[in-house]
Amino acid sequence: MSLLEVRGLEVTYAGGAAAVRGVDLSLDAGEKLGIAGESGCGKSTLALALLRLLPPGARTGGEILLDGEDVLTMKWGRLRAVRWAGASIVFQGAMHSLNAVHRVGDQIAEPVLLHRRATQAAARKRAGELLEQVGLPASRASAYPHELSGGQRQRVMIAMALACDPRLIVADEPTTALDVMIQAQILRLIEGLVGEQNVGLIMISHDLAVLADTCDRLAVMYAGRVVEEGPARQVHDDARHPYGRALSEAFPTIGDPASRFAPRGLPGDPPDPAAVPSGCAFHPRCPVALDVCATEDQALRAAGARRRAACVHVGSGDDETPRGAEGSGTSGGAAANDGVRSSTP
């Protein structure tokens, strides 16, 4: 049995905005799954849904099975027990997630006191051990959040997530606003801790390169759905879906002046969740869209070994998307040279 099974997850906010639409994912213990996509694609909503942290008024459907138990149907007492001890989350923006008027050691010790019913002395000792585990001296437990750097605060958030030895960690943009050196340190730290403790990791980011370097598998989301999934490095280097290709090409290649001075992006924005286009939701921005893309939705299908993509150009069981799909028959997508190569992967 997988550590985590997400089956047909639906999340709709008040007003009818469908932020997550029929997502299926699985994760084994010790595995690292990356979830990528632009802002507004449903990544953070998915992360919050995994621990039932959505705001009041949000409606959910489907199943979220954590060690076989459905998080969406758990009683409140059981859900409180699962949070921290079964699964924990590292939010983006540590300064806003930490309590500014409490010392960081007390904040790390709080879940230990609650879930392990430890004594104050044992909880403080555990907090010091966790700080050392994430590369900070135990003496920093007496510091307030404003006395720490951004990278140090993020390490405190990771220490809190590890406090009760969870089986699953969800990291939502854990390196946002950090400089590249600290970002690399935090990513290596998370990667090492996952390997040492055999926990499952879901890491959310808009940066495919970061996820390709850190994760085993990668899922690309668009308009609330997974449009591509497979081994992380393969999805980054050779995406089967035009949107995945656009994401990977949005970042300049080091040592390539052409990509530096003429970065490739993707015009437009993801659709409003309350007004998702008919057919394939990506077709208004797709440079290789066909007429059928505007009327027929595309389900995930085999796109090579252990890979799936939701694109009309991916035939069931095919190893590659057929080339030369651009040209006549397009349905109003962006120009072929804007953000995605003129031929599909």
Side-chain angles (χ1 to χ4, degrees):
M1 178 187 297
S2 296
L3 169 62
L4 178 71
E5 286 276 354
V6 179
R7 300 175 181 172
L9 180 62
E10 305 269 352
V11 178
T12 304
Y13 289 118
V20 175
R21 305 182 299 132
V23 167
D24 296 305
L25 292 171
S26 65
L27 181 74
D28 294 329
E31 187 179 21
K32 302 181 290 291
L33 171 66
I35 300 178
E38 295 168 282
S39 296
C41 286
K43 309 184 303 299
S44 293
T45 294
L46 173 61
L48 295 174
L50 294 178
L51 288 174
R52 255 171 70 186
L53 295 171
L54 293 165
R59 300 192 305 273
T60 57
E63 296 178 309
I64 301 174
L65 303 178
L66 181 62
D67 279 328
E69 288 187 86
D70 190 352
V71 173
L72 297 181
T73 60
M74 284 179 181
K75 300 287 188 181
W76 177 242
R78 177 56 182 159
L79 180 62
R80 287 191 66 190
V82 166
R83 291 173 178 170
W84 294 103
S88 60
I89 187 166
V90 179
F91 294 103
Q92 56 179 303
M95 192 63 196
H96 305 293
S97 301
L98 295 171
N99 192 319
V101 300
H102 288 283
R103 300 180 191 274
V104 297
D106 293 336
Q107 297 184 60
I108 297 172
E110 183 177 359
V112 180
L113 288 168
L114 177 64
H115 289 276
R116 291 190 168 183
R117 301 188 183 279
T119 64
Q120 289 284 350
R124 285 195 297 269
K125 180 181 178 182
R126 174 65 173 159
E129 292 171 349
L130 288 163
L131 286 173
E132 292 181 343
Q133 190 174 1
V134 298
L136 292 175
S139 60
R140 300 305 281 160
S142 62
Y144 289 96
H146 72 271
E147 297 177 307
L148 303 176
S149 70
Q152 290 173 328
R153 289 194 294 266
Q154 200 65 54
R155 290 172 187 267
V156 170
M157 289 294 297
I158 296 169
M160 291 177 64
L162 296 170
C164 297
D165 298 317
R167 299 253 294 144
L168 170 68
I169 295 176
V170 180
D172 186 7
E173 302 269 12
T175 58
T176 297
L178 299 180
D179 63 67
V180 292
M181 295 296 290
I182 301 301
Q183 173 179 277
Q185 293 174 18
I186 295 297
L187 292 174
R188 295 288 82 80
L189 170 63
I190 294 174
E191 191 175 14
L193 292 172
V194 168
E196 292 168 8
Q197 302 189 19
N198 197 39
V199 302
L201 171 70
I202 293 180
M203 181 176 289
I204 295 172
S205 178
H206 62 278
D207 191 333
L208 261 70
V210 165
L211 296 177
D213 287 341
T214 308
C215 299
D216 304 310
R217 290 190 297 119
L218 179 58
V220 178
M221 287 189 69
Y222 187 80
R225 286 188 174 177
V226 174
V227 296
E228 181 161 6
E229 182 183 7
R233 178 51 61 185
Q234 293 182 28
V235 173
H236 175 267
D237 293 345
D238 185 24
R240 296 289 193 256
H241 194 282
Y243 180 63
R245 175 63 61 86
L247 286 181
S248 65
E249 290 187 343
F251 295 87
T253 303
I254 295 176
D256 180 9
S259 67
R260 177 184 175 188
F261 293 109
R264 309 179 79 167
L266 186 63
D269 298 298
D272 183 339
V276 177
S278 61
C280 173
F282 184 59
H283 85 265
R285 304 173 71 193
C286 182
V288 292
L290 305 178
D291 291 336
V292 69
C293 300
T295 57
E296 294 185 10
D297 201 357
Q298 301 299 317
L300 286 168
R301 64 194 74 176
R306 299 183 299 141
R307 300 187 63 178
R308 299 186 300 164
C311 181
V312 68
H313 298 298
V314 176
S316 180
D318 289 346
D319 287 334
E320 292 189 9
T321 303
R323 296 185 180 275
E326 76 285 0
S328 61
T330 59
S331 60
N337 289 328
D338 286 336
V340 184
R341 293 191 188 119
S342 58
S343 58
T344 53

